[in-house]
Amino acid sequence: MTRVNRTLVAAAAAIGMSTGAVALIPTVMNPASSAVVPTVSDADVAGMFNAAQDEFARGNATAGLSKLRTLLAANPLDTDALALQAFWSDYCDDSRATQSALTSLDNLDRALADRVRNSIAAIDKGVGIGPNPVPRYYPQTTGIVVLGAGLRPDGSPTDETASRLFAAWTQAIMAYESPIIVSAGGAHHGRTEADIMRSWLVAHAIPATRIHLETRPQTLPQHALLTAEAVRGLRLREVVLVTSPDEIRRAASDFLIAGVPVVGATTSTRNLATNAAAPSKVNQKWIYQDATQVTGIPAGRGTSIAPRAFITPAA
């Protein structure tokens, strides 16, 4: 809103108070859409947005959606709030609310609406990619992406990281032409986790020239977004993910949302049986949480919140 509009709103509110009129939330006409938009301070809107995100982070989707409705009643042009409403309404299996939010978003930011639609479709596809410890042959246009799982205090791979490395090794032997991308953001005494993982693979007869490192990720959404850059740089058509059985569906969804086609998963055997079945909707909370981040919706608003950093996925 322009400074002039804010001044007019304040003046109108003052007149209403002086004449004894009932003062509701003051409104202005939006010149782009001709919609009447309630005037609320940026700080108030930020507080409403952060309160909703806090509820989603705690797993309280119903409470978060309630706070979003309050925000959108005050500012129906908030595209991030509409995107969140579409995501979490889908999580709650409320197709009518999901479609309503997407329709409103279409009128304001078609590109974001399309990203949200594609992300919701990617979640459905990613949840269907289950753990599979059996390696398969893939051509050289299919990359092998192995995700790190931390280091021990002495700098050696944790048991989970070692399990993933073994799964990646068996997959690399079977798909002997496929490039390997090691994505890990940890470090020990100046040496990155990704470099330590590469050394393990090289020690087990995988040529170093096949291995490419991504050392920046700290979270699963970052694994997907940053590894997507490497996938495009290597001109790969698709990837097979190597991670643990309890993470594969979440990772597959994140990578699909980031624009990386996932054709399969070679996992370790740890907790394989307990993760064989796809999770119910209520157990997909972390997948939806990741999806909002990969899509580019900020975790919060305010001076201490990092700005949106969305990496446009490949077409």
Side-chain angles (χ1 to χ4, degrees):
M1 182 187 305
T2 65
R3 180 175 299 176
V4 172
N5 279 336
R6 289 185 186 275
T7 303
L8 289 174
V9 168
I15 292 171
M17 292 295 289
S18 66
T19 60
V22 177
L24 300 176
I25 299 175
T27 60
V28 295
M29 190 71 72
N30 179 275
S33 65
S34 298
V36 176
V37 182
T39 303
V40 179
S41 73
D42 292 340
D44 286 342
V45 172
M48 295 177 192
F49 185 88
N50 293 343
Q53 285 287 52
D54 287 345
E55 294 291 355
F56 294 133
R58 287 192 286 263
N60 299 327
T62 302
L65 286 168
S66 177
K67 293 183 184 300
L68 281 181
R69 285 191 291 271
T70 300
L71 187 162
L72 288 167
N75 182 13
L77 304 184
D78 193 313
T79 54
D80 286 330
L82 285 167
L84 281 177
Q85 188 178 51
F87 270 120
W88 289 105
S89 294
D90 184 76
Y91 170 78
C92 292
D93 277 329
D94 189 342
S95 58
R96 180 176 296 181
T98 302
Q99 187 54 52
S100 177
L102 287 171
T103 299
S104 297
L105 196 54
D106 275 327
N107 295 326
L108 299 170
D109 188 337
R110 178 61 65 84
L112 178 56
D114 287 343
R115 289 208 303 270
V116 174
R117 282 193 180 91
N118 292 338
S119 297
I120 290 173
I123 291 172
D124 290 339
K125 184 174 182 180
V127 169
I129 299 177
N132 184 0
V134 180
R136 291 179 51 191
Y137 169 76
Y138 293 99
Q140 61 183 359
T141 54
T142 301
I144 300 169
V145 176
V146 54
L147 306 181
L151 301 171
R152 296 179 183 275
D154 64 359
S156 62
T158 62
D159 289 345
E160 180 55 44
T161 299
S163 294
R164 295 181 188 187
L165 282 169
F166 181 77
W169 176 77
T170 61
Q171 181 58 71
I173 294 298
M174 180 65 71
Y176 54 88
E177 298 176 294
S178 294
I180 302 164
I181 301 174
V182 176
S183 181
H188 180 78
H189 290 307
R191 193 177 180 201
T192 66
E193 180 184 356
D195 185 53
I196 291 170
M197 292 172 69
R198 174 173 57 185
S199 296
W200 188 99
L201 292 168
V202 170
H204 289 76
I206 301 298
T209 53
R210 286 183 64 186
I211 305 170
H212 307 267
L213 305 185
E214 176 50 68
T215 63
R216 294 171 290 172
Q218 298 294 324
T219 65
L220 197 50
Q222 290 174 358
H223 277 294
L225 287 168
L226 295 171
T227 304
E229 296 178 346
V231 168
R232 290 192 289 272
L234 293 169
R235 298 185 178 182
L236 300 173
R237 295 177 55 187
E238 57 201 14
V239 303
V240 55
L241 291 178
V242 181
T243 185
S244 56
D246 62 348
E247 187 178 77
I248 186 57
R249 291 182 170 90
R250 182 179 172 187
S253 298
D254 284 5
F255 273 74
L256 288 165
I257 294 169
V260 179
V262 178
V263 293
T266 306
T267 62
S268 59
T269 57
R270 297 162 62 87
N271 302 316
L272 182 63
T274 57
N275 291 280
S280 62
K281 202 77 166 181
V282 71
N283 291 319
Q284 295 176 28
K285 180 192 78 171
W286 292 112
I287 296 176
Y288 278 80
Q289 194 104 36
D290 283 3
T292 64
Q293 295 177 42
V294 179
T295 304
I297 303 170
R301 293 175 180 169
T303 56
S304 62
I305 303 297
R308 174 186 296 186
F310 176 74
I311 300 175
T312 304

